[in-house]
Amino acid sequence: MIDINLIRNNPEMVKEKLARKEFEVDFTTFLIQDKRRRELIFTTEQLKAEKNKVSAQIPQMKKEGNDCTLLFAKMKQDSELINDNDDKISLLDKEIDDFLESLPNLPADDVVAGGKENNAVIRTFGSKPQFAFEPKHHVDIVESLGIIDYTRGVKLGGNGFWIYKNLGARLEWAILNYFIEEHLKDGYEMLMVPHILNYQCGYTAGQFPKFKDDVFQLKNDENVEFTHFILPTAETALVNLHRDEIIEENRLPFKYFAYTPCYRKEAGSYRAEERGMIRGHQFNKVEMVQYTTPETSEAALEELVNKAERLVQGLGLHHRVSKLAAGDCSASMIKTYDIEVWIPSMNDYKEVSSASNAGDYQSRRGNMKLRRKDSYKLELMHTLNASGLATSRIMPAIMEQHQQEDGSVIIPEVLRKWLGGLERLIPQK
RNA sequence: GGAGAGUUGGCCGAGUGGUCGAAGGCGCAUGACUGGAAAUCAUGUGAGCGAGCAAUCGCUCCGAGGGUUCGAAUCCCUCAUUCUCCGCCA
């Protein structure tokens, strides 16, 4: 949610910034409704003040034995008028809220306008591996190594699921261990969170109501709207930890991370080129989240993207970092960096981490505040998140970038301690 | 799944229809006292919304939502949640 006062005071500026996110708005109706709402509140509150005043006199009058019948009749009328007005106000509230929550966050000033085509690569690590042989697709590699079972995954869960088996499961776990260990070194607090979340979590994160059909919804009664869903990313949980809380300024920043599987419907997004584990209904991810003061969130974003990048570097994978154009940032975010790893078979870079600053957008939706040390004033916190990392793109990248002519795959050094020192995966007969 | 008891301000806790945004205590802040601290004393100490340049004023909020009433923290209904006991279970 963006600040309603920004729109009241400077609708043109907000309109211009949203346009950079390729979002067209017209504030005419909103501004009229907002004005009407405030007028209604003003007159209704005057009525209430009068009512309260009279109410306070009633015990005294009764004590003195006065007849209150006429007074009660008038009070009843006033109460009905107040109720009518309150109904009108809540209707306006709802319309205004619906409108406000449909607006994406404003992009940062240093984020360029436009869509995906305006994303800018800001740095690159390593270079595209050159193969003296015909490199294989990761699906063929993992099958020949016997570390992923697609067929049986589909048998159990349907299209979009797979099974890590044997050294595949251990490699996946090693990757996650590696991420966890690095985050602990950096002083991030590890959390294990519920995988089933209530609706409000999706709302605070900025994913609902717009993207509520992208998650697996849970409900026991066909006739009611769902109240819970399976988390699509740990961000949805982590960003709700401090919902409806006030945090003393000097306790910030909070730095958390959590490993969870991520469950997504990914309806209709399948393409042949994304075969394998590039896009599944369930994938593993370690997610980082920070809660900061407004003035430190910029620096926190750089810290997060650097952390994520170091993880990819540690695995020796060629990748690049892009700063997204406004229109390619997700709705809640003011600025986003993507880390994309090179997938030879796709001849393309695929996202392994997205590091974003949500500013106060999520905090406003979730009512998350900080109290200033000196002034005791309340302010909205800033929230940031970054994957660190998703394995579903990392595993293919390792398979393809580290593949050898004999069909084996070199295991990155940093992972070996969790695999009993194993240096390479060998094809099964 | 069944039965019972709770949910009040940063925390503890009183309050069962009327002047209660809410006693009392703790904590915290400021001041006095002190060489300094402790103790003590005094004063202050929630959030949201609306009006106002501001000082300030008004409205709303006692788990959430609805209802009864002139009037609800207090009565009724629904839901959430915590605790205790019983049952079932990985």
Side-chain angles (χ1 to χ4, degrees):
Chain A
M1 199 102 82
I2 62 177
D3 186 356
I4 191 171
N5 286 310
L6 279 179
I7 308 176
R8 278 179 189 152
N9 302 332
N10 207 339
E12 285 312 308
M13 181 271 284
V14 176
K15 193 178 157 84
E16 182 273 321
K17 286 197 172 183
L18 288 177
R20 287 166 49 200
K21 253 190 163 178
E22 304 196 304
F23 190 92
E24 296 300 324
V25 264
D26 182 358
F27 290 124
T28 318
T29 311
F30 164 80
L31 289 170
I32 292 169
Q33 286 178 330
D34 182 53
K35 185 154 175 285
R36 268 184 53 211
R37 172 178 173 272
R38 286 193 278 177
E39 285 164 358
L40 256 179
I41 287 176
F42 185 69
T43 57
T44 308
E45 286 187 350
Q46 281 182 322
L47 278 172
K48 286 182 182 172
E50 178 62 21
K51 182 180 114 175
N52 289 341
K53 222 163 100 188
V54 176
S55 264
Q57 292 164 356
I58 286 176
Q60 185 64 27
M61 291 180 66
K62 279 183 138 173
K63 211 178 283 173
E64 292 167 3
N66 293 311
D67 178 17
C68 299
T69 320
L70 280 173
L71 198 55
F72 285 167
K74 162 132 181 35
M75 295 275 284
K76 194 173 174 67
Q77 269 184 8
D78 288 353
S79 283
E80 278 162 13
L81 184 55
I82 287 170
N83 282 340
D84 277 1
N85 281 356
D86 277 344
D87 286 348
K88 283 182 199 155
I89 292 167
S90 26
L91 210 70
L92 277 170
D93 278 346
K94 171 130 186 26
E95 283 173 15
I96 290 169
D97 279 352
D98 285 351
F99 175 72
L100 284 178
E101 71 193 25
S102 75
L103 300 178
N105 204 352
L106 306 179
D109 289 335
D110 64 335
V111 170
V112 299
K116 198 176 280 214
E117 66 284 354
N118 290 347
N119 292 354
V121 175
I122 54 174
R123 55 183 176 268
T124 303
F125 173 83
S127 54
K128 298 176 189 170
Q130 301 299 314
F131 300 103
F133 54 95
E134 185 62 32
K136 295 203 213 84
H137 189 283
H138 69 269
V139 171
D140 303 324
I141 300 173
V142 296
E143 284 183 336
S144 79
L145 296 175
I147 62 172
I148 305 276
D149 187 337
Y150 287 102
T151 314
R152 293 197 178 92
V154 171
K155 175 157 75 180
L156 268 52
N159 193 329
F161 293 95
W162 56 81
I163 294 170
Y164 296 91
K165 63 173 187 176
N166 202 356
L167 283 170
R170 293 183 57 198
L171 178 61
E172 177 77 1
W173 211 247
I175 296 170
L176 294 168
N177 267 327
Y178 161 57
F179 296 159
I180 289 169
E181 187 176 69
E182 292 298 311
H183 298 322
L184 289 173
K185 272 186 208 159
D186 290 335
Y188 282 59
E189 180 179 339
M190 181 171 177
L191 299 173
M192 297 188 81
V193 299
H195 294 191
I196 294 176
L197 303 174
N198 57 30
Y199 186 93
Q200 176 70 38
C201 291
Y203 176 80
T204 299
Q207 293 147 354
F208 296 173
K210 199 171 172 195
F211 298 111
K212 62 185 161 83
D213 294 328
D214 293 355
V215 301
F216 290 104
Q217 305 173 354
L218 297 174
K219 55 179 170 183
N220 294 321
D221 183 345
E222 268 307 307
N223 302 312
V224 297
E225 176 74 338
F226 76 103
T227 58
H228 291 77
F229 62 100
I230 314 185
L231 85 179
T233 157
E235 176 203 346
T236 318
L238 293 176
V239 104
N240 274 273
L241 287 176
H242 298 292
R243 192 206 299 162
D244 293 317
E245 289 184 19
I246 296 171
I247 306 294
E248 301 302 322
E249 175 184 6
N250 55 15
R251 292 179 60 204
L252 296 175
F254 290 139
K255 302 180 178 185
Y256 300 111
F257 74 95
Y259 154 71
T260 67
C262 302
Y263 305 93
R264 300 183 183 180
K265 285 177 97 163
E266 304 286 5
S269 63
Y270 279 89
R271 298 199 298 270
E273 65 179 48
E274 292 188 336
R275 80 190 179 108
M277 58 184 91
I278 296 299
R279 204 177 282 279
H281 291 308
Q282 173 186 322
F283 61 89
N284 292 315
K285 181 156 65 70
V286 175
E287 181 77 8
M288 308 179 266
V289 159
Q290 283 205 28
Y291 294 77
T292 73
T293 59
E295 63 276 13
T296 56
S297 70
E298 273 284 296
L301 178 61
E302 300 303 318
E303 174 186 315
L304 286 171
V305 70
N306 287 333
K307 268 176 63 61
E309 207 182 344
R310 273 207 316 277
L311 294 176
V312 192
Q313 287 173 10
L315 295 168
L317 296 172
H318 167 52
H319 66 274
R320 65 182 191 188
V321 182
S322 294
K323 185 172 170 182
L324 301 193
D328 202 27
C329 295
S330 51
S332 307
M333 304 307 170
I334 65 177
K335 193 200 283 194
T336 296
Y337 293 107
D338 269 5
I339 297 175
E340 298 165 305
V341 71
W342 175 247
I343 306 284
S345 68
M346 299 178 80
N347 194 34
D348 201 2
Y349 295 88
K350 299 303 286 185
E351 176 196 326
V352 284
S353 178
S354 194
S356 304
N357 184 359
D360 61 13
Y361 189 86
Q362 295 175 324
S363 292
R364 187 171 286 106
R365 289 167 90 99
N367 188 27
M368 305 186 280
K369 295 182 175 159
L370 66 99
R371 188 185 298 282
R372 289 295 184 183
K373 204 167 77 191
D374 297 323
S375 63
Y376 300 105
K377 287 260 165 43
L378 297 182
E379 271 177 61
L380 292 165
M381 294 190 265
H382 278 199
T383 55
L384 303 99
N385 75 286
S387 2
L389 304 161
T391 61
S392 52
R393 307 275 169 78
I394 287 292
M395 182 78 101
I398 292 174
M399 292 300 122
E400 295 195 15
Q401 288 199 32
H402 294 334
Q403 63 179 300
Q404 306 298 307
E405 187 159 15
D406 62 2
S408 68
V409 171
I410 306 284
I411 297 172
E413 182 93 44
V414 291
L415 303 180
R416 292 181 190 164
K417 65 174 165 179
W418 287 291
L419 292 161
L422 192 68
E423 289 174 15
R424 69 168 70 207
L425 297 165
I426 313 286
Q428 310 287 292
K429 282 292 146 284

